[in-house]
Amino acid sequence: MTDPFAHHPELRDRIADPAGSFFRDFSVDKVEKLFPQLKDARAWVHPDDTREATRAKALKEHTGDLWIFAYGSLMWDPALKFAEVRRARVAGYARRLILMDVNGGRGTREAPGLMAALDRGEACDGLVFRIAASDVETETEILWRREMIGPGYTPAFVTAELDDGPVQALAFLADHATTEIRADLTREDQVRCIAHGVGFLGTSRAYLVNIVSHFAAMDIHDEDCVALLRAVDDYLALIDADTANSAKASR
């Protein structure tokens, strides 16, 4: 197959060109140079040898082409050279916005943001990207610098169902042993974090909007994400109304 989008031509303009992705040459040094105020977050970052050890362990038994399951920002900006992209469903897991970001990506300590993690649940729809065997070493090194920059995820293989059968795909699961995974958050907590979280990658709301809009293009409906976005927008509308009323009252 020479066209990576042969199965899903509707995604051709919805997935960023890896060559131009911010994450293609992503590194802590790059981020710190662009955003010096994030220097204090370096203590949170995994040392290179620790990160590479997790990659070696995760891929120890793998041979041949590699499928990668995307359920968050990897869906629209994988930053990877892929040979094929397919719609996929993973049973036994669910996408949950429980990865708290206080290190400057999409939130700060003053206003934490949220991103998605793959956690135990009924099922999760997303995409799988197939990496050619000859590119696995290079592309997973790039992937690990992004997804395993610090605590929060644990890499593991899951069964992803395609329309013509299952494949084993690498995924990044919620690591409940870390403080970054906040399964205890109430819905109100989630709404506030997504409404206010912002960092060098953009806002937490934009992240959620991208998930919902990407699914709309593929006729996938994730009720939890749709309802959460609606709640965030209702919350922001109330803040705007309160601000407007306060301005009128002070005149």
Side-chain angles (χ1 to χ4, degrees), residues 18 64 114 143 163 189 195 217 243:
L114 286 182
L143 179 65
D163 58 8
D189 293 333
T243 300

Side-chain angles (χ1 to χ4, degrees), residues 107-119:
T108 62
R109 295 195 179 280
E110 295 73 27
L114 286 182
M115 292 183 286
L118 195 61
D119 202 9

Side-chain angles (χ1 to χ4, degrees), residues 96-145:
R96 303 193 192 285
L97 274 84
I98 57 173
L99 178 65
M100 182 169 283
D101 180 10
V102 300
N103 293 296
R106 292 187 185 271
T108 62
R109 295 195 179 280
E110 295 73 27
L114 286 182
M115 292 183 286
L118 195 61
D119 202 9
R120 288 291 179 181
E122 182 177 350
C124 181
D125 290 294
L127 300 177
V128 283
F129 294 94
R130 179 170 62 84
I131 309 300
S134 58
D135 293 326
V136 167
E137 175 64 23
T138 298
E139 300 307 304
T140 56
E141 195 275 333
I142 291 170
L143 179 65
W144 246 256
R145 279 193 274 113

Side-chain angles (χ1 to χ4, degrees), residues 40-112:
D40 292 343
R42 185 175 278 270
W44 166 78
V45 173
H46 282 317
D48 290 346
D49 56 350
T50 299
R51 186 184 66 250
E52 281 297 286
T54 68
R55 184 167 73 104
K57 181 179 179 180
L59 300 175
K60 182 179 180 181
E61 304 297 329
H62 177 78
T63 59
D65 293 358
L66 175 67
W67 290 96
I68 296 169
F69 182 62
Y71 57 87
S73 62
L74 287 178
M75 290 192 296
W76 61 85
D77 187 10
L80 303 172
K81 290 168 54 181
F82 56 92
E84 185 179 359
V85 59
R86 300 285 297 274
R87 174 173 167 170
R89 182 176 179 85
V90 174
Y93 293 90
R95 177 181 20 260
R96 303 193 192 285
L97 274 84
I98 57 173
L99 178 65
M100 182 169 283
D101 180 10
V102 300
N103 293 296
R106 292 187 185 271
T108 62
R109 295 195 179 280
E110 295 73 27

